[in-house]
Amino acid sequence: MPKSTFSIFFFLFFYYGFSQETTVSGTLSDEDQKPVHNAVVALLTVKDSILYKFTRSDKEGKFEFKNVKKSNLILMTSHYQYADYVDDITIEGNSKSLGTLKLISKSKLLKEVIIKTGSIRIKGDTTSYRASDFKVDANANVEELLKKLPGIQVDKNGEIKAMGETVKKVLVDGEEFFGDDPGMATKNLRADAVKEVQVFNKKSDQAEFTGIDDGNTEKTINLKLKEDKKKGFFGKMDAANGPSTELDSRYNTNLMLSSFKGKRKISGYLLNGNTGQDGLNWEDSEQFGGGNDNFSMNMDDDGNVNYEWVGGDNDDEPYVDTQNGFIKNTNLGLQYTNKWNDKQSLNVSPKFNNQIYTNTKRRTNKTQIGDSQLNQNENSVSDIKRNNFKLNIVDEIKIDSMNTIKIGTKTNFYTTDSDDFSDGITTDENGVLKNKSQVNKNSNFDKQALSATILFKHKFKKMRRTFSANLSWNRLNNDSNSILISNNESYTGGNLSDVININQNKIGKRTTYNNSLNLTYTEPLSKKIALQVGYEINYNIGKNKLTTFDFSSLNNQYDIIVSDLSNQFKQTISVHKPNLKISYNSKKINFSFGSGLGITTFDLLDQSANKQYDRNFTNIFPSANFSYKYKSNSSLSIRYNGSTRQPTIDQLQPLTNNQDFFNQRLGNPDLKQSFSNNISFSQNTYNMLTEVYFYQSINFRTTSNLIIYNRDINLEDAKTILKPINTNGNFSINFYSGCGFKIKKFDLNLNISPSLNYSKFPVSINSKLDYSKNLNSGFSIYLSKEKEKKYSFSINNQFSYTRNNTTLNNEVRSFNTNNLGCDIGVFFSKNWKVSTDYTLFTRQKTDDFQTNLTNQLWNARLQRVFKNDEFTAYFLVRDILNQNIGIERFNSQNTIGEEQNDRLKRYFMLGLTWNFKNKNETKP
């Protein structure tokens, strides 16, 4: 044999002897040990999952691979009746048996595996709740649903907070529902009509159009309705009545109706009753019911100028708190929305509100002034009648694919008649009398607010290149007429020293006009970076005239002008503000930063004294926003902005307000504008697998030239003159957090919410500056469990601690309160249910409050539903123990006090609710 042939033979023998390939075999069977026939069995390479070999199982379920190289491979099976089987295998030796591989049938797998997406989803700054996962009673309203959602609180006044922030808007399918009234949707829409509840920070129209965050957001709730609720109609009618031994009989009559046809929606409501339900939301209360409609100019987060009436003194309109006192109200509302061919949409919402309100209030204050203390005790009675008519119209027209115009108009007509009486005394810490006062005031207020806006938006062919122009006009008018009769006695050393009787007629007229134009252009610099350039012009005229007449006994009429209590004041403001901002937007990170330059001119004219106050301000308004979605369902955001607040016209007008003779106010035309720095941090996360959510927010604020009131106090008779001044050295920090999870072993939901607020606030007494340090902390825990159509119960406890001290006397005053409550509902059968709720209010005994005040509030309700939950008959008892008392304690600056109001106590009602809807079946 030639040597070359022998070498080749030896090489092949050596190669095959040491690189021998392997046979791989196995058997496929199901869980019942039956063979799986005709299944595909494949071998894949580990490195890139490329198919290496494949075969099929025979009638006995067996399969075999020959000549398989020694390596690491992936074995995979596939069969139309069975789930795929995948496993890593290592090939070694001459043969490898995989044994019997058991496959699971797809039908069984689908029965046992639960696909769980979670009750809560977080996407960016939007938190979404699947409504069906939070059980409420049959025919419950949306407000009851919101109370079940983690991170959302609804207080006794119906005000909604989400993640610690007040909700400003409630939308229905992304559109306003009865204008900007949050309560109308939550109180009148059925919970079972809602598919999803979304909570987010709604951006301004400008930011939504350009895609560039301008920092102007409002905490908003959007209610997404179920598809079958958007067809036909649904509604609710409720009527209840019950006797009362002390007051008029209790009654409520409520009607809500909604009709849907395509993109057309019509809704209407009627509320009529005397149990404290009120259709005027808290925003209305701030604007008309509780505010004093004084003019102010404010710069918002981005330096945009807003004009409003805030906090005044000369108006003195009474405040209505529907949780206290006794109220009769009638509310009517209608909403119409429609869209045509996706080119035009119309939203019309008229509303009417009538209220008759009475209340008796008892208030005690203790004010520390150095080593001295003043104790005030006052009783007051209020009788108020008011009417309010509002009309909102928004029309948006899409001219073409590039141009859109949006026109909005608002009108608000508001009248109030009130009769108020108060009786008060002031003593020192030893009980020595300082003064006495009796005040009778009858007032009439007539207000009209009119506004119109036109927003034009244009998109260029280049993506994200836009132009917009926003033109607005506002007019606010307030006419007031009041009669003030007061008897005031001053004491020195406990002896009567002076008597001042006042009988005056005050006639006021206040009007403001505002015109503004805002131009904005955006230019994309790259796929993620954009530039925004804007220019804003504002022009405003405000007029305030107050004339005071003394009563003439000779003519038996008010015809003597009191010159030092009468004044005519004019305020003219013009603002020019260019601004620039750069933004960056990506999938996980979004941020923007920029600044506005405000050139403001103030022309203040005291027409009565013919004295001019001219002012010019140049302000820089920096702003920065950053948000980061660091993982699915988790995000954090940081915001900073600088903003100004101008003094109100009442703070500037050199006019004395003597409505309360021993606490008079005087304007200061030398006031400066204040400037605030605001930093906020917020984070939220939700784990869908463990059902754990966590959120927290921290806010820090400091203000230079803060406007406060200096109190010049005469310790002999306790007469006080309040005058606004500018101060520094203040700051506040607020922390709010929440955490929730399910204790799966007991099927319990647990929510925990701690909070902490600390502030340092300047106090000026007799021109001596002091600082008040205030600490307010709270901790609430909520535990709940329910089983549908069986039972439900919840336990909650809210503890709060208030601490205050001032730098002058360094005296620390503190007290705590605790509210323990439980809510239980039990179904005796499918249709019968009894429910009860109990709250124990505890207030700590202190040196200032000598009683450890405790009271209990216990309510119960028995109901029966019938005809497929369409009708509900019920009997309820409110305040079974007759202990409903309206007591609030407060501790601020150098004053601590307690206020007690009338409350509606025990009453009974028998009622019937009809929840109706169209009978059309919805195709699955």
Side-chain angles (χ1 to χ4, degrees):
M1 181 181 293
K3 290 184 178 180
S4 60
T5 304
F6 176 79
S7 299
I8 294 172
F9 175 80
F10 180 80
F11 174 78
L12 293 173
F13 175 80
F14 180 84
Y15 177 82
Y16 283 105
F18 289 91
S19 302
Q20 184 178 2
E21 295 182 335
T22 303
T23 299
V24 179
S25 62
T27 304
L28 302 181
S29 70
D30 61 15
E31 291 185 316
D32 296 327
Q33 306 299 326
K34 295 180 180 180
V36 177
H37 170 58
N38 204 32
V40 175
V41 185
L43 294 177
L44 311 175
T45 59
V46 174
K47 182 179 180 180
D48 46 19
S49 300
I50 293 177
L51 179 64
Y52 173 59
K53 287 180 179 289
F54 79 94
T55 185
R56 288 185 179 270
S57 59
D58 59 19
K59 294 182 179 180
E60 296 178 354
K62 295 180 180 180
F63 63 90
E64 183 180 68
F65 294 99
K66 293 181 179 180
N67 301 325
V68 180
K69 65 182 181 180
K70 295 179 181 180
S71 61
N72 294 325
L73 297 170
I74 299 173
L75 174 73
M76 184 178 74
T77 71
S78 178
H79 192 282
Y80 73 96
Q81 288 182 338
Y82 298 91
D84 294 347
Y85 179 94
V86 181
D87 195 12
D88 294 328
I89 61 174
T90 300
I91 307 302
E92 296 176 342
N94 297 328
S95 64
K96 183 176 183 65
S97 175
L98 300 177
T100 301
L101 306 180
K102 291 185 178 181
L103 305 184
I104 302 175
S105 67
K106 290 183 178 179
S107 60
K108 185 173 183 180
L109 186 68
L110 291 174
K111 289 180 181 178
E112 293 183 350
V113 175
I114 299 174
I115 301 175
K116 191 173 186 179
T117 60
S119 303
I120 307 174
R121 289 186 298 109
I122 297 174
K123 184 177 180 181
D125 65 348
T126 301
T127 302
S128 300
Y129 302 85
R130 191 166 54 202
S132 59
D133 289 352
F134 302 91
K135 304 302 181 183
V136 294
D137 286 346
N139 306 320
N141 60 17
V142 171
E143 185 173 275
E144 295 301 315
L145 172 63
L146 295 181
K147 292 178 181 179
K148 300 276 188 178
L149 305 184
I152 298 181
Q153 297 82 35
V154 183
D155 70 7
K156 62 182 181 180
N157 298 317
E159 182 173 349
I160 307 167
K161 286 192 174 183
M163 286 68 179
E165 295 182 51
T166 300
V167 173
K168 298 294 186 180
K169 287 181 178 292
V170 174
L171 308 177
V172 178
D173 284 333
E175 298 178 356
E176 287 189 351
F177 193 72
F178 292 106
D180 55 0
D181 188 342
M184 287 300 98
T186 60
K187 293 179 183 297
N188 296 294
L189 274 181
R190 294 162 51 112
D192 61 4
V194 178
K195 176 184 178 182
E196 187 177 6
V197 178
Q198 298 175 328
V199 181
F200 60 97
N201 292 319
K202 187 180 186 303
K203 298 178 181 179
S204 65
D205 289 344
Q206 181 71 29
E208 290 178 350
F209 171 61
T210 63
I212 299 177
D213 189 358
D214 59 7
N216 300 322
T217 61
E218 290 181 319
K219 185 63 74 174
T220 301
I221 288 179
N222 181 40
L223 305 173
K224 293 185 68 175
L225 299 182
K226 298 175 181 177
E227 290 301 321
D228 63 332
K229 300 299 181 182
K230 300 179 184 180
K231 301 175 182 179
F233 64 88
F234 67 91
K236 174 181 177 181
M237 182 181 295
D238 181 86
N241 200 292
S244 176
T245 56
E246 299 178 0
L247 302 166
D248 297 336
S249 63
R250 303 295 99 198
Y251 66 90
N252 277 330
T253 305
N254 303 326
L255 173 63
M256 174 71 189
L257 175 64
S258 295
S259 173
F260 298 86
K261 184 178 181 181
K263 296 182 179 181
R264 188 217 66 191
K265 301 177 184 177
I266 301 177
S267 297
Y269 69 88
L270 165 65
L271 307 176
N272 184 34
N274 64 356
T275 61
Q277 65 172 5
D278 180 34
L280 194 68
N281 67 70
W282 58 90
E283 286 188 357
D284 286 334
S285 297
E286 290 175 357
Q287 183 180 4
F288 290 111
N292 294 314
D293 280 8
N294 294 292
F295 178 75
S296 172
M297 186 193 77
N298 303 304
M299 297 285 188
D300 62 22
D301 296 355
D302 237 15
N304 298 314
V305 181
N306 297 313
Y307 297 90
E308 59 181 6
W309 297 98
V310 293
D313 310 310
N314 293 334
D315 196 339
D316 285 322
E317 182 173 342
Y319 174 66
V320 173
D321 179 5
T322 58
Q323 296 301 309
N324 295 313
F326 310 103
I327 184 170
K328 298 178 181 179
N329 69 286
T330 301
N331 302 282
L332 296 167
L334 181 68
Q335 165 143 334
Y336 172 84
T337 62
N338 206 346
K339 290 183 177 181
W340 296 274
N341 301 323
D342 292 327
K343 290 187 177 182
Q344 183 178 3
S345 64
L346 179 65
N347 189 322
V348 182
S349 177
K351 291 187 293 184
F352 172 77
N353 172 255
N354 170 264
Q355 295 176 335
I356 301 174
Y357 177 80
T358 61
N359 185 32
T360 300
K361 182 191 305 180
R362 294 158 289 282
R363 186 182 180 96
T364 61
N365 294 339
K366 294 181 180 180
T367 303
Q368 195 70 31
I369 307 170
D371 296 329
S372 302
Q373 178 177 289
L374 294 178
N375 300 328
Q376 295 175 300
N377 293 275
E378 183 185 60
N379 297 322
S380 61
V381 180
S382 298
D383 292 292
I384 302 169
K385 297 179 181 179
R386 63 184 187 182
N387 294 287
N388 176 228
F389 174 77
K390 299 177 68 175
L391 176 62
N392 295 345
I393 302 176
V394 178
D395 188 10
E396 187 167 3
I397 303 171
K398 187 176 181 181
I399 302 172
D400 53 39
S401 60
M402 297 294 185
N403 300 286
T404 303
I405 187 168
K406 185 177 181 179
I407 303 172
T409 61
K410 292 185 178 182
T411 62
N412 198 336
F413 300 94
Y414 183 89
T415 60
T416 301
D417 292 304
S418 66
D419 193 359
D420 301 281
F421 173 80
S422 63
D423 185 1
I425 63 171
T426 302
T427 64
D428 63 13
E429 64 272 21
N430 299 315
V432 178
L433 190 61
K434 295 291 184 179
N435 64 57
K436 287 184 179 180
S437 179
Q438 286 188 342
V439 181
N440 215 326
K441 182 184 175 185
N442 182 273
S443 303
N444 172 263
F445 301 91
D446 189 3
K447 306 180 184 182
Q448 307 92 38
L450 306 173
S451 68
T453 60
I454 300 176
L455 174 62
F456 172 75
K457 299 181 292 186
H458 173 73
K459 290 183 179 181
F460 293 90
K461 291 183 179 180
K462 185 176 181 179
M463 290 292 294
R464 296 187 298 141
R465 177 183 289 173
T466 67
F467 171 78
S468 63
N470 192 354
L471 177 65
S472 66
W473 172 86
N474 297 276
R475 178 183 181 272
L476 185 61
N477 184 76
N478 179 19
D479 296 324
S480 62
N481 192 325
S482 63
I483 302 295
L484 174 66
I485 301 175
S486 66
N487 301 313
N488 309 281
E489 299 177 358
S490 298
Y491 291 79
T492 303
N495 299 315
L496 180 65
S497 59
D498 195 9
V499 177
I500 301 95
N501 294 321
I502 297 175
N503 187 357
Q504 295 175 342
N505 178 208
K506 297 177 181 292
I507 299 175
K509 184 175 181 61
R510 188 174 303 151
T511 305
T512 182
Y513 298 90
N514 171 246
N515 299 293
S516 67
L517 175 64
N518 193 345
L519 306 175
T520 304
Y521 174 79
T522 63
E523 176 67 26
L525 303 180
S526 69
K527 290 183 178 180
K528 297 181 179 180
I529 301 176
L531 172 69
Q532 176 178 294
V533 180
Y535 196 91
E536 185 174 353
I537 303 172
N538 284 272
Y539 187 74
N540 179 277
I541 297 177
K543 299 179 181 179
N544 188 18
K545 180 180 180 181
L546 179 66
T547 307
T548 302
F549 299 91
D550 268 337
F551 181 77
S552 172
S553 57
L554 295 177
N555 300 326
N556 200 32
Q557 60 184 1
Y558 296 95
D559 58 2
I560 303 174
I561 296 179
V562 184
S563 58
D564 59 340
L565 297 177
S566 302
N567 186 265
Q568 188 169 349
F569 198 80
K570 183 178 180 180
Q571 178 174 278
T572 304
I573 303 172
S574 62
V575 180
H576 293 263
K577 188 180 74 66
N579 58 79
L580 183 145
K581 175 173 288 187
I582 294 178
S583 68
Y584 173 88
N585 295 312
S586 66
K587 186 176 181 180
K588 287 192 173 184
I589 296 177
N590 297 294
F591 69 82
S592 64
F593 63 91
S595 181
L597 178 67
I599 304 171
T600 306
T601 301
F602 267 45
D603 293 326
L604 310 178
L605 176 61
D606 183 349
Q607 294 176 315
S608 298
N610 195 25
K611 190 172 183 179
Q612 185 87 21
Y613 303 88
D614 293 333
R615 303 183 179 197
N616 296 288
F617 302 102
T618 301
N619 299 295
I620 297 176
F621 303 98
S623 66
N625 305 301
F626 173 83
S627 64
Y628 173 47
K629 185 179 180 182
Y630 55 91
K631 64 179 182 179
S632 178
N633 285 335
S634 301
S635 64
L636 63 86
S637 64
I638 303 172
R639 292 179 179 270
Y640 165 78
N641 67 77
S643 60
T644 64
R645 177 173 285 273
Q646 309 298 335
T648 67
I649 199 169
D650 276 343
Q651 292 171 333
L652 291 168
Q653 189 172 10
L655 180 65
T656 300
N657 182 335
N658 68 335
Q659 303 283 2
D660 182 347
F661 178 80
F662 289 107
N663 291 279
Q664 298 188 22
R665 296 178 184 264
L666 178 64
N668 179 9
D670 295 321
L671 283 177
K672 302 176 182 178
Q673 62 179 354
S674 62
F675 185 89
S676 296
N677 292 287
N678 308 280
I679 301 175
S680 65
F681 167 86
S682 62
Q683 185 271 345
N684 61 63
T685 183
Y686 176 70
N687 189 316
M688 291 190 295
L689 297 178
T690 60
E691 293 188 83
V692 175
Y693 73 90
F694 183 60
Y695 61 89
Q696 61 277 336
S697 64
I698 301 175
N699 301 279
F700 178 81
R701 181 186 183 96
T702 182
T703 304
S704 59
N705 286 325
L706 177 71
I707 299 175
I708 68 169
Y709 281 89
N710 173 69
R711 289 180 286 174
D712 281 325
I713 302 176
N714 183 350
L715 291 177
E716 289 296 327
D717 62 358
K719 185 176 180 178
T720 302
I721 303 295
L722 295 95
K723 185 177 181 178
I725 61 172
N726 293 106
T727 58
N728 293 301
N730 68 93
F731 71 89
S732 65
I733 184 168
N734 306 305
F735 169 76
Y736 188 85
S737 180
C739 176
F741 55 91
K742 176 172 285 189
I743 305 175
K744 295 184 178 180
K745 183 177 181 180
F746 303 102
D747 194 26
L748 292 172
N749 294 306
L750 178 64
N751 303 316
I752 300 172
S753 299
S755 63
L756 181 68
N757 304 295
Y758 180 80
S759 64
K760 180 183 177 183
F761 191 83
V763 180
S764 181
I765 299 178
N766 296 331
S767 299
K768 187 174 183 180
L769 197 62
D770 184 12
Y771 287 94
S772 173
K773 300 176 181 178
N774 304 285
L775 173 67
N776 296 285
S777 59
F779 185 85
S780 66
I781 184 169
Y782 178 81
L783 189 67
S784 66
K785 181 177 182 178
E786 59 185 323
K787 194 169 183 180
E788 191 172 3
K789 289 296 184 180
K790 295 290 185 181
Y791 62 85
S792 65
F793 81 89
S794 63
I795 300 174
N796 66 86
N797 193 82
Q798 296 179 342
F799 174 83
S800 64
Y801 171 76
T802 301
R803 184 180 185 272
N804 170 265
N805 73 297
T806 56
T807 55
L808 278 181
N809 51 33
N810 207 31
E811 180 181 358
V812 176
R813 287 175 165 173
S814 64
F815 64 89
N816 60 62
T817 61
N818 193 78
N819 298 335
L820 173 64
C822 68
D823 195 329
I824 301 173
V826 178
F827 286 88
F828 288 106
S829 66
K830 181 180 179 181
N831 298 322
W832 282 93
K833 180 185 178 183
V834 61
S835 57
T836 182
D837 60 271
Y838 170 84
T839 306
L840 174 65
F841 300 92
T842 304
R843 303 163 184 86
Q844 181 190 12
K845 177 182 177 181
T846 67
D847 293 337
D848 300 292
F849 305 115
Q850 292 297 313
T851 57
N852 190 357
L853 185 61
T854 300
N855 69 298
Q856 306 169 77
L857 188 60
W858 183 21
N859 306 313
R861 173 182 170 119
L862 175 66
Q863 70 176 43
R864 184 186 188 279
V865 296
F866 49 96
K867 201 176 180 182
N868 297 323
D869 293 340
E870 184 175 347
F871 293 93
T872 303
Y874 60 88
F875 173 75
L876 62 83
V877 186
R878 298 293 186 190
D879 189 20
I880 296 174
L881 303 177
N882 208 33
Q883 294 185 17
N884 188 19
I885 53 177
I887 291 184
E888 299 290 340
R889 288 177 175 175
F890 52 90
N891 188 4
S892 177
Q893 301 181 23
N894 62 332
T895 300
I896 190 169
E898 183 177 88
E899 181 178 289
Q900 182 172 352
N901 291 270
D902 279 346
R903 283 281 179 91
L904 183 59
K905 291 190 175 183
R906 181 170 53 209
Y907 65 92
F908 307 83
M909 295 188 78
L910 183 66
L912 178 66
T913 302
W914 177 28
N915 286 273
F916 52 88
K917 56 187 176 180
N918 56 303
K919 304 299 182 180
N920 297 331
E921 293 291 337
T922 302
K923 295 182 180 180

